[in-house]
Amino acid sequence: MLLKLVVPTIQNKLERVRIDGLGVVVGDKVSPGAKLLEFTSGLDQAAMHDCPPITSYRMTSSETAWVRQLVAREGEDAMSGDLLALLSTDPDESLEGAESRLARNAIAAIFKPVAW
Amino acid sequence: MAKQIPLRLRPLCSGDLRIHRSGFRWAAEFGQPFRPGDLLGFCNITLLGEEQGRGDLFRHNVEQTNFQVALIARVSGCLRDIASLRGGGFSDIQEWFLWEENSIIVNVEVDDQDAHRAADDLYDFHFLVGRRVSDLAENRTGLGTGWHNRSRGWRQGKGSATGTVLGLGTCELPLIIRGDKGGFIQLLEGATGSVQAVDIPDVPLVHSARIIIEQLRRTREEREAIEEEFKRGIAESPPGSGSADWLFAAACLQALERTPTSDSYDILTQDGVEVTGPADAIVLSINSEASNRLRHRRLGFFLDCHNYRINALGPAMLNWLKANFEWVAYSVDDVRRDYIEMTDLLRKDHPERQILVLNAVLTLGKEDVLSYSDFDAPLDRSLASVRVRELNCMLHDIAAETGIAIVDADAIAAKLGVSVCIPDGIHQNGEMQTELRREILSILAARKVPGFARESLTQPQTIQSAL
């Protein structure tokens, strides 16, 4: 089965995120707890008002799967619901026309390393 | 049957002060109804007299130029224009008029049950004053407008002692203290005694417990050394550096040099200008306790600023910070140590002083971690959710020991619905701020803070420590 990894909805006012880093490459096997990627939300709000609600998150896998295709790129923006990656429950499963569902994952707000 | 009464000015005080005022700016539109407690209007005022020995309200570069008095309705009714009084423009900003008792400033249409009231019995005075960051920060276009490093409002009620509550939190607190209408009107509304509310914004300094401790312990020599350091930072900026960064440095220095928890306050009363303070109650926010702080490498003082302010600095100021400050990881245990030291210091000469702390909202965002094994330990320095939970637990642990009162923002947010009352995950909507304000007032009343002790208020809903 194909597993679609998408940008989660963080808060109803925060839809745009920036991909800070990827924790996997195509072909990797991920297990529950494995780091998939890190992203920051709220950057679009920074242009709109003071005290922007900027928060960094780490997304981890909640199931065993294989990374088949990476859409997300470091430094790029994405919106809630956008596809980040395609995973599969079997390593050699065809990416064409297979049954799919959303990948099971978890996110946690993290403290980013400081500027210097 | 409604009756029109001319609204007349009462004397502001019985002393020998000469008081000038601007024209009134009306908050209620003519013909629109208002209720008791509503802001009717306000004007700028200036106290004139010998400056020597008369305090901040008389000093041009302190509070004299941002002093206002508002009229708060005691009755229901609506305002009616007086055709002969033409204000607007600078008439409503500059203090061109003498404050004269019995001056008619507007007509008020009231219901029959209030028709017996005298024309000067329709309103209460509500005073507002702001201390500008700089004389350049001039903005007298509205109620409490301008860039102030300290804003305060007060009302005179029964009883001689004025109770003062000081807000020293992050962005979540000023609107709770100052209210949606601005000017502290909602917080001070309905107080039976003499009350004052003070707001110190987190611009640019965030008042963590460590910052408050250092402000209280700082010697004159240490202040001078810090001043030299900031002056050097500005002086060494290369040509073309952003002058906005110099303002940042100057505002940081100004905030570091002050001790808001020790401030006294001049207030205008019926008997003239009196001095009150320091604050009887201080409201803090646990969200002020960042996990990483800037500390000066040589002098050792902390400079707590929001990261987004640091990130917005120009390259020269950023390089100066990098060269002279280091990031220090700050654990929950460090915060616990600071809170115990801070409460001891704040109560050293004021044993009755109350300290209220807004806790953190835990249920923010969408976090569903199944395993913490892949996150770096200690988790309070890598995961925000763990840190805020540990901070909230720490507050409970020390509440009995320190006597602090926890304002349970977390419980209130959960009750109201987090995604509704905190839409962006940080900033509360009006409903939550109203609930937090009510809770703070209940705690102040329960702890018998002068002026705020009101029998009509309910017991605090969320307070956790023994009263």
Side-chain angles (χ1 to χ4, degrees), chain B residues 68-87:
Chain B
Q68 297 174 316
V69 62
L71 307 182
I72 308 296
R74 286 183 184 169
V75 298
S76 298
C78 64
L79 297 180
R80 296 292 180 192
D81 197 5
I82 298 177
S84 62
L85 294 180
R86 294 295 177 205

Side-chain angles (χ1 to χ4, degrees), chain B residues 217-271:
Chain B
R217 293 201 186 283
R218 192 161 281 142
T219 64
R220 193 183 71 181
E221 290 74 21
E222 288 170 336
R223 276 196 291 273
E224 287 172 354
I226 292 173
E227 186 177 334
E228 282 301 315
E229 196 65 16
F230 275 85
K231 278 161 61 178
R232 193 168 57 81
I234 294 172
E236 291 176 358
S237 296
S241 305
S243 51
D245 287 353
W246 303 345
L247 285 175
F248 168 81
C252 283
L253 176 62
Q254 191 182 69
L256 286 167
E257 288 181 328
R258 296 191 189 281
T259 52
T261 56
S262 301
D263 277 358
S264 60
Y265 312 95
D266 294 338
I267 55 173
L268 186 63
T269 72
Q270 287 292 321
D271 300 321

Side-chain angles (χ1 to χ4, degrees), chain B residues 291-302:
Chain B
S291 58
N292 285 289
R293 319 271 180 98
L294 280 177
R295 184 174 64 189
H296 195 270
R297 295 177 194 274
R298 187 168 55 84
L299 300 176
F301 67 91
F302 281 86

Side-chain angles (χ1 to χ4, degrees), chain A residues 8-14 33-34 49 51-53 58 60 62 105-111 114-116, chain B residues 171 291 294 308 322 325 327 365-370 374-375 380-384 387 422-424 426-427:
Chain A
T9 300
I10 308 296
Q11 293 279 339
N12 52 13
K13 299 290 183 193
L14 305 177
H49 60 74
C51 195
R58 178 178 298 176
T60 57
S62 299
N105 61 80
I107 61 167
I110 57 171
F111 296 119
V114 290
W116 69 86
Chain B
C171 56
S291 58
L294 280 177
Y308 69 87
K322 286 177 182 176
F325 289 81
W327 287 101
K366 178 191 170 190
E367 183 161 318
D368 43 11
V369 178
L370 297 178
D374 283 348
F375 293 96
D380 72 317
R381 290 186 221 168
S382 59
L383 281 175
R387 183 175 178 85
I422 313 181
D424 71 355
I426 292 181
H427 304 97

Side-chain angles (χ1 to χ4, degrees), chain B residues 178-363:
Chain B
R178 299 176 66 130
D180 287 337
K181 301 172 187 172
F184 310 94
I185 290 170
Q186 289 150 301
L187 190 74
L188 303 184
E189 193 173 291
T192 55
S194 298
V195 286
Q196 177 177 227
V198 185
D199 172 49
I200 305 281
D202 59 346
V203 183
L205 191 66
V206 174
H207 284 85
S208 64
R210 176 49 44 188
I211 291 292
I212 292 170
I213 290 166
E214 291 187 354
Q215 286 174 323
L216 286 166
R217 293 201 186 283
R218 192 161 281 142
T219 64
R220 193 183 71 181
E221 290 74 21
E222 288 170 336
R223 276 196 291 273
E224 287 172 354
I226 292 173
E227 186 177 334
E228 282 301 315
E229 196 65 16
F230 275 85
K231 278 161 61 178
R232 193 168 57 81
I234 294 172
E236 291 176 358
S237 296
S241 305
S243 51
D245 287 353
W246 303 345
L247 285 175
F248 168 81
C252 283
L253 176 62
Q254 191 182 69
L256 286 167
E257 288 181 328
R258 296 191 189 281
T259 52
T261 56
S262 301
D263 277 358
S264 60
Y265 312 95
D266 294 338
I267 55 173
L268 186 63
T269 72
Q270 287 292 321
D271 300 321
V273 176
E274 296 179 359
V275 179
T276 188
D280 302 281
I282 299 172
V283 188
L284 305 171
S285 166
I286 200 64
N287 287 326
S288 299
E289 305 297 335
S291 58
N292 285 289
R293 319 271 180 98
L294 280 177
R295 184 174 64 189
H296 195 270
R297 295 177 194 274
R298 187 168 55 84
L299 300 176
F301 67 91
F302 281 86
L303 176 66
D304 287 356
C305 286
H306 293 302
N307 280 350
Y308 69 87
R309 294 198 198 286
I310 303 290
N311 293 336
L313 291 172
M317 186 57 63
L318 207 51
N319 285 337
W320 178 73
L321 281 177
K322 286 177 182 176
N324 292 283
F325 289 81
E326 60 186 343
W327 287 101
V328 177
Y330 224 76
S331 71
V332 173
D333 278 342
D334 293 331
V335 179
R336 177 201 303 264
R337 181 205 62 213
D338 285 352
Y339 256 75
I340 291 169
E341 183 181 352
M342 177 192 69
T343 51
D344 284 346
L345 266 178
L346 290 175
R347 295 218 184 89
K348 186 179 173 190
D349 298 319
H350 311 282
E352 300 301 319
R353 177 178 264 180
Q354 298 298 330
I355 299 163
L356 289 66
V357 188
L358 269 72
N359 69 3
V361 176
L362 306 181
T363 45

Side-chain angles (χ1 to χ4, degrees), chain B residues 157-179:
Chain B
K158 294 171 186 169
S160 55
T162 299
T164 297
V165 58
L166 164 65
L168 261 183
T170 51
C171 56
E172 65 196 318
L173 195 56
L175 278 178
I176 297 170
I177 300 291
R178 299 176 66 130

